[in-house]
Amino acid sequence: VHDLNPVVWGLMYTIDIAGIISPGLYRITGQTTSDMARIGNIEVTIDNASNLLLLTCNKSDLLADPLFSAWYSNAHPELAGTFMTNKINLSEGVLIADQSFGYRLWDIQLPVPQANATAPTLSNASLQTGTDGMLHFEADYYSAEAYFPLTSEVVIDELQHYPMTYSSAPDWSSTMHYIAVIDPAVIGDWISARLVFSSDNISYADTTFINTGIEDQFDNPEVSPLLMRVYPNPARDRIYIELSKNTADVKVELYNLKGQRLLSTYLEPLQKKLSLDLNEQLFPYSAGIYLLKVTSGKSLGTAKVIITK
């Protein structure tokens, strides 16, 4: 249902009448000057040669307006607008003279080539089930070059891709908070969820969450879940495994998708961290998707890993 009297925001270039109206950014809730609230300044550029009038405002002024920020969504940053010239009459208010066709504007960053980018930094990665029953994946992204990410997504079992969008004020010179909300009914009995970010699609940062709620695939249904983080994924020469608790005598195994065990070794954690070497002598197998099994006592964790050669 369309609102017959919607709130609109406009950049207005007009005469300056002290105490009544002046050029600026306005929230407009009605048809008279008393229905217009000035919420920010504008910059005006007039190019007489091309008969061009350019008006600009600060996005922060829009976001500071409570009505705008309550409506605007970073996840769906679509705006609708028009250009018009008006006749202002103090007794009748604002009257439309000319008006352009309506347009739609997407307030997004355009991907452009980014040279000499270093791998971004991910921190405070988390996965929680919200009160809405959805899976909430969140992470903080930082680029040393202040680049926005060309890739920001959650990859489920290396098959399904879901975009992550920023939820903080857009300023890539600082740490940006990203989030993705996914319906668990859509992804089913997933095993791994990998958060992947890159500012140039060459150097990547990622972190992996393991679904410890799945049933053990290795015929030991009484084990308790072992919380762990596996990275990098994909891996080439080495896999790191961070455990949620101090433990000893950890058994690490790799299986192919047929369930055949290809590698089995015992590793001693260093400050809850394991390092699995994938050199040709220890793992002389082709690139592909493998199942990683980590066992400590009666605790077990599993993950899908991609190994490149």
Side-chain angles (χ1 to χ4, degrees), residues 104-300:
R104 292 186 181 275
L105 171 69
W106 278 84
D107 178 25
I108 59 175
Q109 298 286 333
L110 294 177
V112 295
Q114 298 178 154
N116 302 319
T118 56
T121 301
L122 290 185
S123 59
N124 300 321
S126 66
L127 166 58
Q128 296 181 359
T129 301
T131 56
D132 54 3
M134 300 293 208
L135 298 177
H136 290 240
F137 294 89
E138 301 186 41
D140 290 333
Y141 164 90
Y142 175 75
S143 166
E145 293 85 11
Y147 290 153
F148 59 88
L150 298 182
T151 296
S152 55
E153 62 182 7
V154 180
V155 184
I156 303 295
D157 290 339
E158 304 304 327
L159 296 173
Q160 303 175 64
H161 297 253
Y162 297 87
M164 298 191 71
T165 56
Y166 60 89
S167 60
S168 55
D171 178 10
W172 283 272
S173 63
S174 62
T175 299
M176 292 286 293
H177 187 70
Y178 277 75
I179 185 170
V181 179
I182 303 176
D183 186 348
V186 174
I187 59 178
D189 292 330
W190 60 278
I191 296 176
S192 66
R194 189 161 60 95
L195 279 54
V196 186
F197 284 78
S198 177
S199 56
D200 59 2
N201 286 344
I202 299 174
S203 300
Y204 290 85
D206 69 281
T207 187
T208 300
F209 292 95
I210 306 303
N211 183 6
T212 56
I214 63 173
E215 293 183 358
D216 176 26
Q217 304 178 43
F218 300 93
D219 301 322
N220 190 3
E222 296 181 357
V223 297
S224 60
L226 177 64
L227 300 180
M228 63 184 187
R229 174 177 172 237
V230 179
Y231 66 94
N233 197 1
R236 180 180 178 87
D237 302 314
R238 189 174 296 277
I239 293 175
Y240 294 98
I241 305 164
E242 288 188 2
L243 305 176
S244 61
K245 59 183 179 180
N246 286 316
T247 186
D249 196 24
V250 178
K251 186 178 182 181
V252 179
E253 299 166 277
L254 275 174
Y255 292 76
N256 61 22
L257 296 182
K258 296 180 180 180
Q260 298 169 320
R261 187 171 62 185
L262 307 178
L263 182 149
S264 178
T265 184
Y266 284 90
L267 297 175
E268 184 68 25
L270 179 60
Q271 295 182 344
K272 303 182 185 179
K273 188 173 183 178
L274 302 170
S275 176
L276 180 62
D277 196 341
L278 297 175
N279 63 54
E280 290 292 334
Q281 185 175 4
L282 290 176
F283 194 78
Y285 302 101
S286 61
I289 299 176
Y290 295 88
L291 295 176
L292 175 70
K293 176 185 176 184
V294 181
T295 308
S296 176
K298 292 186 178 181
S299 297
L300 168 69

Side-chain angles (χ1 to χ4, degrees), residues 17-64:
I17 303 177
I20 299 178
I21 197 168
S22 63
L25 173 65
Y26 284 81
R27 183 205 318 124
I28 304 170
T29 57
Q31 300 181 7
T32 66
T33 53
S34 61
D35 299 316
M36 298 187 301
R38 192 176 187 279
I39 61 173
N41 297 320
I42 62 171
E43 292 186 6
V44 180
T45 302
I46 301 176
D47 187 342
N48 292 317
S50 58
N51 197 29
L52 177 68
L53 172 65
L54 177 65
L55 307 179
T56 59
C57 71
N58 288 325
K59 183 179 176 182
S60 58
D61 289 334
L62 280 170
L63 293 174

